[in-house]
Amino acid sequence: MVPISYNLRSLTHRKATTFATAFGITLVVFVFAASAMLTDGIKTTLGKSGSEDIAIVIRDGSDAELSSSLDQPNVGIILSSADVKRRADGQPDGVGEIVAVLALDKIGTEGVSNVQVRGVASASYAFRPTIHIVQGRQARDGAEEAVVGRAIAGRFRGLALGQSFEIKKNRHITVVGIMEDRGSSFESEVWTDIETVRSAFGREALVSSVRARLRSASAYPAFERALKSNRQLGVEVMRETDYYARQSEGTGTLISVMGNMIAFFFSLGAMIGAMITMYAAVSNRSREIGTLRALGFSKMSILFAFLLEALMLSLLGGIVGVLASLAMNGTGFSMMNLASWSEITFTFHWTPQIAMSSLIFAAVMGLFGGLFPAIRAARVNVLQALRS
Amino acid sequence: MTDAIVKLTDVGKTFWRGTEAIKVLDGLTLDVADGAFHALMGPSGSGKSTLLNLIAGLDKSTAGTVQVAGQNLSQMNDGSLADFRARNIGFIFQSYNLMPVLTAAENVELPLLLTKLSSAERKKRAITALRVVGLEDRTGHFPRQLSGGQEQRVAIARAIVNDPKILVADEPTGDLDRKSADDILNLLVRLNTEFKKTIVMVTHDPEAAERATTTLHLNKGALIEQRTKGAA
Amino acid sequence: MNLVSLAARNVLRNKFRTTLTVLGVAVALLAFILLRTVLSAWNAAADYAAKDRIATRHKVTFIMTVPKRYVDTIRQVPGVSAVSYFNWFGAKYERMPNEFFGSMACDPRTMFDVYDDVRISEAEKQAFIADRQGAIVGDVLARKMNWHAGDTVTLKGTIFPGNWTFHIVGVYTAASRAVDRSTFFFQWDYLNESLPPGRRDQVGWIMSRVDNATQAAAVSQRIDRIFDIQDVQTLSMSERALNVSFLAGFSAILQALNVISVVILLILLLVLGNTIAMGVRERTNEYGVLRALGFMPKHVRLFIYGEAITLGAIAGTLGAGIGFAFVNFAFGPWLEENMGAMFPYFRVPAEVLIAAFVFAVLLGILAAIIPATRAARLTVTDALRRID
């Protein structure tokens, strides 16, 4: 076996070429990892919004809360199910909320963008214990006040603490608090009083959805069966986790298709780059190879040595690319969610799995790029190589 | 020595390897008469290639003066040196140094690209030069399709195509078998006698040196022996 | 023969490496062309949007409607030549529930006056007006769903619950790139009559055409001023401005694609630079010979630039050619068919092809700067000494 230090020295010998090739692979791995991080971020942002033991009820036939509406009296009927958990005060642990979309001026751009508005009661805050007010205070029931998610606070006109926005002509809502929820999609919402939203949007006595915390996650099938069999209600029931997985589908697919396509083309280019470098290395060192062979190294060990060199080259690039992608972790990426037509801020989410698959991706590029040159190296004719 | 075409006076050449000075040539004085055929001999590191480079205007001396074809090379900048080489010097290398992507005729034509000659005129001259070296039937061949001796003859045609006064040859027969080497030496002698070219040739080969009119022996940067045929 | 042709011949000398390089560059250019085409197709909606059409909608949110009587008011506004109105419907075809398509209620009597770039035969238009349950579909959608004039289809409403039966009476095509050829249009009257009395006579948005496109902004303001004192305020903007604000929601993606297309150019530079540097290193001896023959450093530089330009031009031609063929004959038609709502027109713009070619050549030159400068700076004796 040819010692590894031989490959290492060969790589450091031709610094410029090694650098150019490794840097190319770095760029490819970075783009690959970043798109995987964003796809993962979309899933976690929307995934965090849902829990296993919560069921969401919307009108049958509607895709999302936004297009759904249920009559207020149905809220009581839905929550009266025995499968719904009780709060300390004996009331069922569930909320009926109304969702609307508001066009607001996006700071830094010329246009308006849509923001999701949720009409809530104070029970909504208690219902989601992971939500914390990080600045200011909770909005009071019945007041013209709002709490804004951290991800959009300050990014739209009127959505900073202490500012106000118009929900209807001459009807101003003041932002009294900023909330945080582990990066979930609620951080991209505006929460204000349910009656305010109803009257502003002409949806009196309606809700968009009902959420109910079940006695346990396993109580869900019975809950679903009971509601669906009630034809008069005409509702669709889903686990909250399933609901948000569906909400992330369109946007997640868009990003991952684009990302994978770009990574595919990039990797072809990088593989060819690695191949050029390795072929040049082989032809420049045919004399060295001849000498090694004359010293008694086998064809296999030459093949292995050059493959190893290509692998080290690509892993060098890959490691730098992964480190660079690590710097993107937690960065916000704001875009329109295709399911709600409103803006959501997703964050790049780094995971060890993404790092691993990026390194494997780099290694595969190196091995494919190095395979043919290594075969050529193994086939070098000893006598000719020494004579040249 | 009335009309010396090459006149070296007290020439020194020092290379620097880090802080260590290496004197390759030291106080060398040499005249080469117009129309002479000089062979330069000496062991490796004796400075014979350096001397050749100085005469050819490829390198500059660090001491003394180098006068070639009436011009003082020691005082010329890189641009004028290139121009000087193009007009006055024809090069012949040990490993021929032909452009592999060019045909024999195109290789010969190469130095003429520096002149203002028309394309047709350039081609005509290239063919003429190839005829001189006896390769007019190989004009369209690429170097890889020629034998070593033929390659060297193309290189000689390239060296004479712009009609220089001096031919500079660095081991012109070093890579050739005896037969081809003799052909090349015959050609050089003919260029010397028939076309009146001054030739300075570095060689290891005593038989090659025999063909020159004057043989110079160098050792450690100094001229130790000069022997001219018939003059001894 | 001249120096440039000599340089060009040198490119073909190491055929294998040149082929690999050209392939690598072509692949990268293909990715570049794809990205730029995505960007331009995305912007096409805005670029080709009619400037003489104004959309008027609810001021606060797109999910709310405006009273239908506003249509008649707008018709009286000076500068307006034609007015029509629409409602977003939202439907699924039960047999193919995963195929998303836009569905809208429209007024067939006035719609074609406003959308003069929607092409439909007079007979089909009259049939559409005559049949209360009539519907027309874009040719792309018709092909995808296998619908033909004369078919009866039942759609399930997502916003307006229930099953709705339509008669397809015609298939429309587009005379401009702004028109989505995958939309399902049906009679507004049919929708309106089916609604409970309290929700009737509401329209989602009103489209009007102005006499003079330069007056679009002024007319928009005039319209909004009329309704400012009414219950429901409006927001009017030209179709172009509307599309621009929609695109703003995806600005982060557009920016990312922009950045990535620049990264591609960087990879191109690395691949080209690597190949050129290797070629120059291997040919250093030849440059020494040229210099010995009397050629100047500037000739050597010219020589290396000549090689780089040839390499860039070959790769640029191939890359642009492959990109053109791939997008216009394979990928583009597929995308228009399957994601027509997002990319109604997906073809490579000529300027993208030219840019791809020019970039390949320019990057070739850029990549040659360092090798050319270095080679020109070598002394003749140093260059000649490097024999192997």
Side-chain angles (χ1 to χ4, degrees):
Chain A
M1 194 157 126
V2 182
I4 289 174
S5 59
Y6 169 76
N7 300 110
L8 273 177
R9 293 209 186 115
S10 304
L11 285 175
T12 48
H13 184 61
R14 294 183 181 282
K15 285 193 189 68
T17 303
T18 301
F19 172 78
T21 313
F23 187 57
I25 290 171
T26 297
L27 291 176
V28 176
V29 168
F30 176 75
V31 170
F32 177 82
S35 91
M37 283 165 71
L38 188 54
T39 311
D40 200 78
I42 291 169
K43 284 198 192 107
T44 40
T45 297
L46 289 167
K48 274 182 188 151
S49 309
S51 345
E52 274 286 305
D53 61 344
I54 292 178
I56 179 168
V57 182
I58 53 178
R59 202 201 59 232
D60 188 25
S62 52
D63 288 325
E65 286 183 280
L66 186 58
S67 55
S68 153
S69 56
L70 300 167
D71 293 333
Q72 173 66 35
N74 286 343
V75 179
I77 298 172
I78 292 163
L79 292 180
S80 66
S81 157
D83 295 311
V84 177
K85 200 176 173 181
R86 301 282 141 175
R87 294 198 299 244
D89 62 2
Q91 294 298 310
D93 196 4
V95 287
E97 294 168 333
I98 189 155
V99 165
V101 161
L102 195 62
L104 290 171
D105 291 330
K106 192 175 174 184
I107 292 170
T109 67
E110 281 177 28
V112 292
S113 209
N114 292 318
V115 173
Q116 189 147 316
V117 181
R118 188 174 292 274
V120 298
S122 54
S124 291
Y125 294 93
F127 185 73
R128 299 182 183 85
T130 53
I131 286 190
H132 299 285
I133 304 289
V134 286
Q135 261 184 294
R137 57 174 174 81
Q138 196 174 311
R140 286 188 307 257
D141 278 347
E144 308 273 85
E145 294 174 344
V147 171
V148 172
R150 194 180 55 165
I152 51 167
R155 299 197 40 246
F156 289 85
R157 184 162 335 165
L159 291 193
L161 192 64
Q163 292 182 339
S164 67
F165 60 91
E166 226 177 10
I167 198 165
K168 196 181 181 179
K169 189 174 166 69
N170 296 329
R171 210 153 155 206
H172 294 274
I173 309 287
T174 309
V175 177
V176 297
I178 308 288
M179 63 182 168
E180 183 193 74
D181 182 28
R182 308 153 298 146
S184 82
S185 63
F186 294 123
E187 290 189 0
S188 297
E189 289 184 354
V190 172
W191 285 16
T192 186
D193 184 72
I194 187 165
E195 288 307 332
T196 307
V197 177
R198 277 175 175 162
S199 66
F201 290 84
R203 312 270 284 271
E204 278 80 6
L206 292 173
V207 295
S208 298
S209 64
V210 177
R211 281 177 173 76
R213 180 165 283 113
L214 305 179
R215 281 181 292 106
S216 72
S218 57
Y220 175 80
F223 180 75
E224 182 189 355
R225 218 174 311 122
L227 285 188
K228 282 209 169 162
S229 63
N230 186 344
R231 293 253 159 190
Q232 234 131 25
L233 278 177
V235 293
E236 173 88 59
V237 189
M238 273 181 261
R239 280 190 200 270
E240 210 186 18
T241 43
D242 293 340
Y243 173 78
Y244 282 108
R246 255 174 58 174
Q247 299 292 298
S248 71
E249 241 170 40
T251 312
T253 312
L254 182 75
I255 295 285
S256 80
V257 164
M258 267 190 195
N260 288 339
M261 212 166 76
I262 292 166
F264 171 74
F265 281 112
F266 270 34
S267 65
L268 273 185
M271 248 188 286
I272 291 171
M275 219 184 266
I276 294 170
T277 304
M278 290 312 293
Y279 267 119
V282 171
S283 71
N284 284 326
R285 300 207 316 252
S286 62
R287 209 190 174 110
E288 269 173 60
I289 297 165
T291 311
L292 287 170
R293 296 272 284 118
L295 290 175
F297 288 101
S298 70
K299 279 190 177 187
M300 275 314 281
S301 61
I302 299 287
L303 181 93
F304 189 71
F306 276 86
L307 270 185
L308 196 66
E309 192 166 322
L311 194 64
M312 289 196 293
L313 186 68
S314 62
L315 280 181
L316 178 75
I319 288 167
V320 178
V322 167
L323 289 179
S325 72
L326 193 55
M328 298 282 288
N329 191 28
T331 311
F333 187 92
S334 172
M335 66 175 284
M336 190 182 284
N337 181 23
L338 293 173
S340 65
W341 299 110
S342 41
E343 292 234 343
I344 295 196
T345 299
F346 302 108
T347 43
F348 285 89
H349 191 236
W350 194 86
T351 66
Q353 284 86 349
I354 289 175
M356 262 328 280
S357 57
S358 304
L359 285 181
I360 291 170
F361 181 59
V364 168
M365 280 192 287
L367 287 179
F368 271 100
L371 184 62
F372 294 103
I375 290 174
R376 179 183 278 189
R379 284 202 182 145
V380 160
N381 181 308
V382 185
L383 291 177
Q384 266 175 21
L386 286 177
R387 221 183 293 137
S388 68
Chain B
M1 294 276 167
T2 44
D3 47 353
I5 191 162
V6 177
K7 200 169 174 62
L8 277 68
T9 316
D10 227 4
V11 168
K13 176 74 184 175
T14 308
F15 289 105
W16 290 90
R17 187 182 291 150
T19 53
E20 182 194 358
I22 302 164
K23 277 192 175 173
V24 182
L25 294 177
D26 195 8
L28 189 138
T29 299
L30 168 70
D31 284 359
V32 177
D34 196 0
F37 185 173
H38 275 43
L40 274 173
M41 296 193 76
S44 293
S46 60
K48 55 186 193 302
S49 287
T50 305
L51 178 58
L52 196 73
N53 286 343
L54 291 180
I55 294 171
L58 287 181
D59 212 346
K60 283 206 220 173
S61 61
T62 44
T65 57
V66 178
Q67 273 197 312
V68 181
Q71 286 174 280
N72 188 348
L73 302 193
S74 327
Q75 286 169 358
M76 287 164 77
N77 62 26
D78 282 352
S80 0
L81 273 178
D83 193 49
F84 161 81
R85 291 195 295 269
R87 289 171 196 279
N88 301 296
I89 306 289
F91 273 95
I92 303 158
F93 303 92
Q94 175 177 0
S95 45
Y96 334 127
N97 282 337
L98 298 177
M99 301 284 150
V101 292
L102 300 182
T103 62
E106 286 169 336
N107 263 295
V108 175
E109 190 188 334
L110 197 57
L112 298 180
L113 291 178
L114 287 166
T115 65
K116 289 196 166 66
L117 297 174
S118 71
S119 167
E121 180 64 20
R122 292 201 306 255
K123 285 202 175 68
K124 210 178 95 194
R125 292 203 186 183
I127 304 290
T128 311
L130 279 169
R131 192 170 300 129
V132 170
V133 301
L135 283 177
E136 64 270 35
D137 56 340
R138 290 285 188 277
T139 53
H141 286 58
F142 285 96
R144 63 169 186 282
Q145 298 167 314
L146 300 171
S147 71
Q150 285 171 329
E151 278 197 72
Q152 192 61 301
R153 280 196 276 161
V154 174
I156 292 173
R158 179 178 68 186
I160 59 171
V161 73
N162 55 356
D163 199 23
K165 296 191 180 68
I166 304 167
L167 294 183
V168 166
D170 192 357
E171 304 265 12
T173 57
D175 282 1
L176 297 174
D177 58 73
R178 193 68 258 164
K179 167 80 180 61
S180 306
D182 287 339
D183 288 346
I184 293 300
L185 291 167
N186 289 337
L187 183 56
L188 288 178
V189 170
R190 202 178 129 227
L191 290 172
N192 179 240
T193 52
E194 196 176 316
F195 294 89
K196 304 297 177 208
K197 300 290 177 207
T198 307
I199 299 178
V200 181
M201 171 178 75
V202 163
T203 185
H204 270 116
D205 178 7
E207 280 190 50
E210 270 304 303
R211 309 294 297 270
T213 50
T214 305
T215 307
L216 306 171
H217 280 272
L218 247 72
N219 198 13
K220 295 187 179 156
L223 210 50
I224 53 168
E225 193 189 351
Q226 178 160 359
R227 192 167 48 83
T228 308
K229 261 190 207 166
Chain C
M1 181 193 63
N2 55 46
L3 272 190
V4 176
S5 73
L6 176 54
R9 274 193 242 179
N10 261 330
V11 171
L12 299 173
R13 184 137 135 215
N14 192 333
K15 284 208 184 61
F16 191 69
R17 185 190 297 157
T18 303
T19 309
L20 279 180
T21 307
V22 166
L23 269 181
V25 172
V27 164
L29 281 181
L30 176 59
F32 176 81
I33 287 170
L34 267 179
L35 285 185
R36 299 310 308 185
T37 308
V38 167
L39 286 172
S40 91
W42 223 316
N43 286 317
D47 288 347
Y48 289 94
K51 293 181 195 75
D52 61 350
R53 274 200 286 265
I54 294 174
T56 301
R57 55 161 239 198
H58 191 285
K59 186 179 182 183
V60 177
T61 167
F62 71 85
I63 60 169
M64 286 185 63
T65 50
V66 294
K68 182 170 178 275
R69 58 185 156 80
Y70 281 18
V71 175
D72 298 316
T73 313
I74 292 177
R75 201 167 275 135
Q76 307 306 319
V77 173
V80 171
S81 59
V83 184
S84 193
Y85 48 94
F86 300 84
N87 257 35
W88 178 256
F89 183 65
K92 276 184 199 158
Y93 186 44
E94 288 272 82
R95 273 187 244 161
M96 299 161 93
N98 293 322
E99 295 289 355
F100 172 85
F101 58 91
S103 47
M104 298 174 195
C106 70
D107 175 31
R109 277 166 300 268
T110 54
M111 169 180 166
F112 301 103
D113 299 335
V114 176
Y115 283 96
D116 58 339
D117 45 1
V118 168
R119 288 264 178 279
I120 188 161
S121 75
E122 189 56 33
E124 285 174 321
K125 180 179 161 187
Q126 292 309 325
F128 190 22
I129 293 172
D131 186 348
R132 180 126 305 202
Q133 279 173 267
I136 57 168
V137 294
D139 59 331
V140 171
L141 181 65
R143 211 174 317 129
K144 189 163 79 177
M145 310 300 262
N146 196 22
W147 284 337
H148 304 93
D151 288 358
T152 296
V153 297
T154 301
L155 301 184
K156 191 174 182 186
T158 57
I159 298 172
F160 302 95
N163 287 326
W164 299 71
T165 303
F166 301 100
H167 309 138
I168 293 176
V169 295
V171 172
Y172 72 86
T173 57
S176 96
R177 293 176 190 178
V179 175
D180 175 16
R181 285 150 61 198
S182 333
T183 303
F184 184 101
F185 288 103
F186 65 94
Q187 283 227 20
W188 184 86
D189 289 344
Y190 178 38
L191 174 69
N192 196 46
E193 285 159 11
S194 317
L195 294 176
R199 294 179 68 190
R200 279 188 200 164
D201 294 326
Q202 294 285 320
V203 299
W205 68 95
I206 300 165
M207 288 303 289
S208 21
R209 213 163 144 202
V210 291
D211 299 322
N212 180 348
T214 58
Q215 291 298 304
V219 174
S220 300
Q221 281 179 3
R222 218 172 287 154
I223 294 172
D224 291 342
R225 215 172 308 126
I226 294 172
F227 299 121
D228 196 47
I229 48 167
Q230 310 248 353
D231 288 351
V232 176
Q233 291 80 44
T234 59
L235 179 66
S236 300
M237 53 179 123
S238 72
E239 194 175 290
R240 191 189 166 98
L242 192 70
N243 288 343
V244 167
S245 78
F246 175 74
L247 281 180
F250 294 98
S251 61
I253 290 194
L254 299 183
Q255 249 167 23
L257 292 183
N258 239 327
V259 169
I260 292 170
S261 67
V262 173
V263 172
I264 294 181
L265 297 182
L266 212 61
I267 292 183
L268 271 185
L269 186 67
L270 289 173
V271 172
L272 281 169
N274 209 5
T275 296
I276 292 165
M278 279 190 284
V280 167
R281 194 160 47 217
E282 285 166 8
R283 288 200 273 283
T284 304
N285 181 48
E286 282 175 29
Y287 303 132
V289 173
L290 284 176
R291 293 286 308 281
L293 294 179
F295 287 92
M296 307 273 210
K298 66 173 183 200
H299 292 121
V300 171
R301 271 199 300 271
L302 184 78
F303 199 64
I304 294 169
Y305 284 124
E307 272 187 58
I309 290 168
T310 312
L311 192 64
I314 296 175
T317 310
L318 190 76
I322 292 179
F324 175 77
F326 177 68
V327 173
N328 282 20
F329 301 120
F331 189 65
W334 178 84
L335 207 64
E336 285 168 18
E337 188 94 349
N338 291 286
M339 291 180 81
M342 233 165 193
F343 300 105
Y345 183 87
F346 196 86
R347 295 295 144 98
V348 190
E351 61 268 22
V352 168
L353 283 183
I354 295 168
F357 177 81
V358 170
F359 273 128
V361 174
L362 281 182
L363 290 172
I365 296 174
L366 200 62
I369 289 179
I370 295 174
T373 313
R374 277 199 190 156
R377 210 183 280 155
L378 273 178
T379 65
V380 191
T381 44
D382 276 343
L384 277 174
R385 207 166 289 145
R386 300 199 183 180
I387 301 172
D388 41 272

